[in-house]
């Protein structure tokens, strides 16, 4: 039985998984596999308790065909500027087949977002046989020939074992970008959090993706080593990405949701979480060590302490380092104000501290929350939980 209560070989209707990268917010989500075939990373709560399964290619194609059917309907209803009126949408909705409301909504949202990209779910689509993935990609291209980008998550463990020819075939069939959770380049940390990958494996996998002509997003998790391994996390991760030269380095600062196995270690005192100040120091060390690469650094997640810590290497390296040094040179009181403002969503970046209205709002919240040097990190953890 699958998680939808049906046998794995019986089509249970259109499916979507729980997550996608923030950069795929407007992508059509096509579920190729369910959940995560590894599922052991201690910092990750997403698929815990859910069994991994591969969806039959025919089911995935039926999903694609269903979206295609409603996309075609919406296109026929569009006026010359490409817009569909609410009245027309209401009429179209009345003709949606029973059981197709979800897929109609998916088509509607994708159409509203411009229908430019597709993201393959869930955690590791590359784990299926390459020929099957090629078949799915070919079907997407056939149904939606205008799509500019098709992307997927994939584990380094899977990628490192793939043949170059298979990777190339997947690229030729239309996969443009792979998102990989590198998290850390430190073998000590990777083992500690049960990532199921080594630094060498990460480097091998990343280089293979690049060699095939597929864009690569590598996710770095500042704070994953805790206080004791914070510096090592920065140094080893910078060394790994220097060897890979991914197209994107995406920062994803550690948060510890209650559902993650790491939460127990944290609660029992076996894992000492970094403060925002330690994380800033770690990211500074990381940035300072990036050498000889042309990656784009992105900070596209609310969990990151600095929303504007972005740029293209090597050009923006010094600017990014300067931003972090500015924060680290601030008085502890100003640092706390910034932390509170960021976690409340009032500040997006350090620059916002120069906005008198925003600063006044944060100062009020600071008083109301009763922030002190002793409780600031605990309160920040509580505020962070709203985002995870
Ligand atoms: S591989 Fe990814 S999805 Fe799977 S447990 Fe690890 S972090 Fe979570």
């Amino acid at each position: 039985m699958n998680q939808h209560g049906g046998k794995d070989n019986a089509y249970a209707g259109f499916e979507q998984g729980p997550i996608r990268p923030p950069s795929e917010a407007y992508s059509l989500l096509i579920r190729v596999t369910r959940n995560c075939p590894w599922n052991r990373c201690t910092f990750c709560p997403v698929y815990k308790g859910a069994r991994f399964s591969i969806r039959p290619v025919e089911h995935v194609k039926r999903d694609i065909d269903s979206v295609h059917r409603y996309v075609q309907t919406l296109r026929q209803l569009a006026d010359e500027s490409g817009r569909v009126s609410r009245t027309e949408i209401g009429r179209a909705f009345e003709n949606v087949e029973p059981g197709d409301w979800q897929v109609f909504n998916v088509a509607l949202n994708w159409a509203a977002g411009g229908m430019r990209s597709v993201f393959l779910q869930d955690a590791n689509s590359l784990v299926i046989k390459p020929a099957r993935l090629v078949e799915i990609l070919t079907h997407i291209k056939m149904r939606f020939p205008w799509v500019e980008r098709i992307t997927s998550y994939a584990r380094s463990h899977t990628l490192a074992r793939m043949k170059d020819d298979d990777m190339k075939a997947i690229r030729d069939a239309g996969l443009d970008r792979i998102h990989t959770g590198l998290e850390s380049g430190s073998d000590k940390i990777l083992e500690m959090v049960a990532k199921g990958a080594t630094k060498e494996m990460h480097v091998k996998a990343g280089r293979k993706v690049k060699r095939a002509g597929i864009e690569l997003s590598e996710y770095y998790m500042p704070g994953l080593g805790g206080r004791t391994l914070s510096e090592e996390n920065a140094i080893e991760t910078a060394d790994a990405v220097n060897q890979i030269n991914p197209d994107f380095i995406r920062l994803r600062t550690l948060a510890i949701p209650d559902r993650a196995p790491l939460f127990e270690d944290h609660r029992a005192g076996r894992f000492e979480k970094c403060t925002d100040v330690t994380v800033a120091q770690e990211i500074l060390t990381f940035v300072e060590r990036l050498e000889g690469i042309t990656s784009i650094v992105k900070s596209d997640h609310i969990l990151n302490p600095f929303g504007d810590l972005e740029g293209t290497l090597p050009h923006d390296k010094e600017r990014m380092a300067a931003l972090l040094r500015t924060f680290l040179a601030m008085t502890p009181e100003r640092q706390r104000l910034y932390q509170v403002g960021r976690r409340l969503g009032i500040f997006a970046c350090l620059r916002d501290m120069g906005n008198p209205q925003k600063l006044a709002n944060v100062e009020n919240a600071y008083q109301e929350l009763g922030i002190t040097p002793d409780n600031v990190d605990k309160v920040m953890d509580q505020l962070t939980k709203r985002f995870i």
Side-chain angles (χ1 to χ4, degrees), residues 211-241:
R211 210 164 41 237
I214 299 175
E215 280 189 333
L216 179 63
S217 269
E218 293 279 14
Y219 290 77
Y220 159 43
M221 194 168 271
L224 189 60
R227 290 206 199 197
T228 26
L229 295 175
S230 177
E231 192 181 11
E232 163 148 347
N233 200 24
I235 293 171
E236 290 297 314
T237 308
D239 186 50
V241 295

Side-chain angles (χ1 to χ4, degrees), residues 120-274:
L120 307 181
Q121 293 182 306
D122 281 337
N124 187 14
S125 317
L126 278 281
V127 80
I128 70 171
K129 289 208 162 56
R132 290 186 183 188
L133 192 52
V134 165
E135 193 178 339
I136 290 167
L137 290 163
T138 306
H139 199 71
I140 292 171
K141 285 284 196 184
M142 190 263 289
R143 287 299 191 206
F144 312 118
W146 61 83
V147 155
E148 295 162 13
R149 194 182 76 208
I150 307 178
T151 68
S152 174
Y153 279 131
R155 293 186 65 227
S156 287
H157 185 270
T158 302
L159 298 169
R161 290 148 59 115
M162 285 179 69
K163 292 190 186 124
D164 278 339
D165 286 352
D166 286 335
M167 194 76 86
K168 190 80 181 22
I170 287 167
R171 166 73 190 104
D172 291 345
L175 190 72
D176 299 287
R177 181 182 298 171
I178 288 176
H179 298 268
T180 295
L182 182 140
E183 331 295 5
S184 175
S186 155
D187 282 336
K188 239 187 255 175
I189 296 171
L190 290 169
E191 193 183 344
M192 180 179 85
V193 301
K195 184 65 199 172
T198 61
K199 179 183 182 182
E200 191 187 350
M201 203 183 279
H202 277 322
V203 172
K204 187 176 174 191
R207 285 179 163 174
K208 188 176 293 188
V209 171
K210 295 274 299 175
R211 210 164 41 237
I214 299 175
E215 280 189 333
L216 179 63
S217 269
E218 293 279 14
Y219 290 77
Y220 159 43
M221 194 168 271
L224 189 60
R227 290 206 199 197
T228 26
L229 295 175
S230 177
E231 192 181 11
E232 163 148 347
N233 200 24
I235 293 171
E236 290 297 314
T237 308
D239 186 50
V241 295
N242 284 346
Q243 294 182 54
I244 300 170
N245 191 15
D247 297 272
F248 299 92
I249 299 167
R250 296 183 191 273
L251 305 180
R252 198 63 87 249
T253 304
L254 175 75
I256 311 180
D258 299 0
R259 305 173 321 277
L262 188 59
F263 180 77
E264 276 312 310
D265 287 342
H266 179 44
R267 194 161 60 177
R270 291 186 294 270
F271 180 86
E272 201 181 352
K273 194 169 178 285
C274 292

